[in-house]
Amino acid sequence: MMAATNSKSVANEKPVWFITGCSTGFGRELAIHLLESGYRTVVTARNPDEVNDLTAKGEALVLKLDVTDQGQIDAAIKAAEDKFGRIDVLVNNAGIGYFAAVEESEEDQVRRMFEINVFGLSRMIHAALPGMRKRRTGFIVNLSSVGGLVSFPVTGYYHATKYAVEGLSEALWQEVEPLGIKVMLVEPSGFRTDWAGRSANESKRQIDDYASTAGARRSQSRTTSGKQPGDPVRAAHAIVKAIESPNPPHRLLLGNNAYEAAMAKIEDLRREFSAWEAVSRGADFPKEEQEEGA
């Protein structure tokens, strides 16, 4: 299942999950699936009233948590460890979107998104890792997006947050896997969550020159919100299945569009890199000069 635990009694228990951003979407559906499957689950939201109903579904600890508030993070981690003794799986799900062409973007909105999507996630990792390192076991799941691999108009700064999550996670798994801790990125395409609804602001200023690019995609994203092909319930089951597999992936694409977009990006990179291979390789000192300088 996960990395080996340190005692038979703990190994025979189902893992304790801690999920951020459970009021809607992936976080809520994942919490429901886990609780109904008998997992002890820490269910968090900025407004706990929105998730209190989940206590009827299983052994849930509902906590108030804003990932931009270090005091709330510390208190939530402590409450979880006091209640259940440990955190086995941390799911960094809390996040927001923002619709704006790069030139239209407002810095305060961009900074807010980075504060939640990147720094909030990193704060949670910093808070949970000491316990996982001590036990030499654990799993960190970071919700990224296919938009952490491929970029589109009108969400440039959102992509920037997810590219940051991808880079952080890739370094993290190289650091913590020797300690028995796993890391997985989840990369969904369009799912019927609230991401393109109340969870995504947009710029007040819209520039006519971007009407056919950023403007068109902004309109499309708003219009199709709630009609996306991705099913959050199936996504929740897929995440648990991947984590419980003998060899969990570092990256889990979710949705046909995610898979197709990611594969197309790989092919685009391969073609462009190959076309410029000679120029790329020619930027080094010649080998004989490298040997002379060694």
Side-chain angles (χ1 to χ4, degrees):
M1 192 171 152
M2 294 180 6
T5 49
N6 293 326
S7 71
K8 289 184 179 180
S9 61
V10 172
N12 290 333
E13 295 176 355
K14 285 192 172 183
V16 176
W17 289 61
F18 186 114
I19 311 169
T20 68
C22 294
S23 59
T24 61
F26 286 126
R28 183 176 181 84
E29 296 301 338
L30 181 58
I32 290 170
H33 176 50
L34 291 167
L35 290 166
E36 290 180 342
S37 300
Y39 292 86
R40 293 166 295 169
T41 307
V42 183
V43 180
T44 73
R46 285 182 293 178
N47 180 3
D49 291 341
E50 296 180 346
V51 293
N52 277 330
D53 62 304
L54 298 185
T55 59
K57 296 186 178 296
E59 193 172 355
L61 173 63
V62 172
L63 298 174
K64 179 180 178 64
L65 178 60
D66 180 340
V67 297
T68 68
D69 186 321
Q70 187 65 54
Q72 288 187 24
I73 290 171
D74 293 340
I77 293 292
K78 184 177 187 304
E81 291 178 339
D82 287 348
K83 171 74 173 177
F84 295 127
R86 66 190 194 275
I87 296 167
D88 294 304
V89 184
L90 168 66
V91 181
N92 283 309
N93 170 69
I96 62 171
Y98 178 59
F99 293 112
V102 170
E103 189 181 349
E104 296 170 343
S105 298
E106 300 139 332
E107 187 170 319
D108 62 335
Q109 293 296 316
V110 171
R111 286 183 177 275
R112 175 174 178 264
M113 185 168 54
F114 267 89
E115 189 66 24
I116 296 168
N117 294 6
V118 180
F119 293 108
L121 173 144
S122 70
R123 289 187 191 99
M124 292 303 306
I125 292 170
H126 280 250
L129 269 177
M132 292 181 177
R133 283 193 295 103
K134 182 178 180 180
R135 293 185 301 276
R136 286 299 195 263
T137 182
F139 212 123
I140 295 171
V141 181
N142 291 333
L143 264 289
S144 177
S145 165
V146 67
L149 299 171
V150 184
S151 298
F152 304 96
V154 90
T155 41
Y157 280 109
Y158 171 77
H159 293 301
T161 68
K162 293 306 183 180
Y163 276 66
V165 169
E166 296 267 338
L168 176 70
S169 300
E170 189 168 336
L172 181 64
W173 73 56
Q174 295 176 67
E175 295 167 353
V176 300
E177 284 188 352
L179 307 178
I181 301 164
K182 301 289 187 180
V183 178
M184 183 174 77
L185 285 157
V186 177
E187 299 159 333
S189 46
F191 276 73
R192 293 183 193 179
T193 68
D194 198 37
W195 180 84
R198 68 172 185 169
S199 297
N201 291 337
E202 64 181 64
S203 58
K204 297 181 181 67
R205 181 176 70 129
Q206 297 179 15
I207 299 171
D208 289 343
D209 282 345
Y210 301 123
S212 64
T213 53
R217 186 162 180 268
R218 180 192 291 110
S219 177
Q220 179 196 35
S221 297
R222 294 298 197 191
T223 301
T224 59
S225 181
K227 303 173 186 176
Q228 299 94 328
D231 178 358
V233 175
R234 287 182 170 84
H237 288 236
I239 291 168
V240 175
K241 181 179 180 179
I243 288 175
E244 292 186 336
S245 68
N247 297 296
H250 284 132
R251 290 184 169 88
L252 178 66
L253 292 163
L254 291 179
N256 284 300
N257 289 341
Y259 187 86
E260 290 167 7
M263 297 304 289
K265 177 65 176 281
I266 291 170
E267 290 305 314
D268 286 345
L269 289 173
R270 182 178 288 112
R271 280 195 297 270
E272 191 157 89
F273 291 164
S274 296
W276 287 84
E277 180 180 2
V279 175
S280 298
R281 292 185 179 279
D284 284 349
F285 286 109
K287 285 187 177 180
E288 57 271 19
E289 291 186 32
Q290 292 183 41
E291 292 169 359
E292 289 173 3

